[in-house]
Amino acid sequence: SQKIEQNSEALNIQEGKTATLTCNYTNYSPAYLQWYRQDPGRGPVFLLLIRENEKEKRKERLKVTFDTTLKQSLFHITASQPADSATYLCARPSGSARQLTFGSGTQLTVLP
Amino acid sequence: DAGVTQSPTHLIKTRGQQVTLRCSPKSGHDTVSWYQQALGQGPQFIFQYYEEEERQRGNFPDRFSGHQFPNYSSELNVNALLLGDSALYLCASSPFGGAAPPSGADTQYFGPGTRLTVL
């Protein structure tokens, strides 16, 4: 089956450090991957999209990479802050590319 | 500019009952998708509506049905509720229902969700 997997283990890091979250996919090659942030009891909020022909995409303190050889996307938050604490979701297109299949998310806690 | 809105915020039902959840998409958006998110899991696609018709459907039973109105708002109906239907129900809208998105990617704008508890 076409899976998208995120490390379900919660990630705790110290403020100011770089957080790195992983998204792995198997048995297919997505045209792009999307990353979303979700706060408790709220809907996901779109952060970044990276296409299969892009190695890296940046937005302020956020950076996403896409390695089609490793079948993996890495999501980095540099100079992390307690306000970055949330669950981060990776998503791929599916169906006719008009729907998203999400990973289970990684819960990030930035400790002050 | 209002984003995606959903009602109600919370809902408690008992097994066997029926529930209707409502969603208003972001202004200018014509496509509405519904997702179910169990605790600790990512959202799972239920179905998508465009031009008042169900365009795509995920792996959910017929107990889950929906509707889209001419103003693009949408309802999700769940019949014969089961305990396992307890979840956060998310509505998402996007603006490119009639054509491929210029970027080639359909970014979803999510509402705050409705928390459904089935007892």
Side-chain angles (χ1 to χ4, degrees):
Chain A
S1 62
Q2 299 177 345
K3 292 185 178 180
I4 185 164
E5 295 178 337
Q6 296 182 254
N7 186 352
S8 60
E9 297 287 328
L11 178 64
N12 296 329
I13 64 166
Q14 210 64 40
E15 183 176 5
K17 300 293 186 183
T18 296
T20 298
L21 287 65
T22 304
C23 176
N24 296 297
Y25 57 92
T26 56
N27 299 327
Y28 68 98
S29 297
Y32 59 84
L33 292 169
Q34 298 187 20
W35 284 87
Y36 288 76
R37 168 182 172 145
Q38 186 173 26
D39 292 289
R42 307 291 296 273
V45 175
F46 171 75
L47 295 175
L48 282 169
L49 178 151
I50 186 165
R51 302 179 186 287
E52 60 179 340
N53 61 351
E54 297 175 320
K55 296 293 186 184
E56 182 179 297
K57 185 76 73 73
R58 291 177 184 263
K59 177 183 177 183
E60 297 173 352
R61 295 184 295 110
L62 308 180
K63 183 178 83 171
V64 174
T65 62
F66 197 165
D67 189 325
T68 55
T69 301
L70 294 178
K71 293 186 180 295
Q72 181 180 83
S73 175
L74 297 180
F75 178 84
H76 306 273
I77 305 176
T78 58
S80 60
Q81 304 166 1
D84 295 327
S85 298
T87 295
Y88 291 86
L89 297 159
C90 174
R92 65 167 179 89
S94 57
S96 63
R98 306 312 296 274
Q99 68 186 71
L100 294 174
T101 295
F102 286 85
S104 57
T106 298
Q107 184 177 344
L108 172 68
T109 301
V110 180
L111 304 168
Chain B
D1 176 27
V4 179
T5 60
Q6 292 186 243
S7 64
T9 304
H10 296 87
L11 206 51
I12 298 175
K13 292 285 188 178
T14 56
R15 281 183 301 173
Q17 285 189 309
Q18 178 264 343
V19 67
T20 297
L21 310 182
R22 295 175 176 83
C23 169
S24 290
K26 183 176 169 63
S27 177
H29 287 190
D30 59 7
T31 302
V32 172
S33 301
W34 287 92
Y35 291 80
Q36 179 196 66
Q37 186 174 26
L39 203 60
Q41 299 297 316
Q44 288 201 15
F45 178 77
I46 303 175
F47 42 52
Q48 184 179 87
Y49 276 84
Y50 170 67
E51 290 190 334
E52 303 179 47
E53 291 190 359
E54 183 182 292
R55 178 162 67 178
Q56 277 188 274
R57 188 178 185 92
N59 189 25
F60 279 80
D62 292 344
R63 297 188 297 109
F64 289 77
S65 63
H67 188 80
Q68 186 179 35
F69 299 93
N71 66 352
Y72 307 123
S73 67
S74 177
E75 288 182 349
L76 164 66
N77 300 292
V78 187
N79 295 322
L81 285 167
L82 303 174
L83 296 179
D85 295 332
S86 295
L88 181 68
Y89 287 85
L90 295 162
C91 171
S93 71
S94 54
F96 302 111
S103 65
D106 207 2
T107 301
Q108 303 282 302
Y109 293 79
F110 285 85
T114 294
R115 172 68 64 187
L116 172 65
T117 301
V118 182
L119 302 176

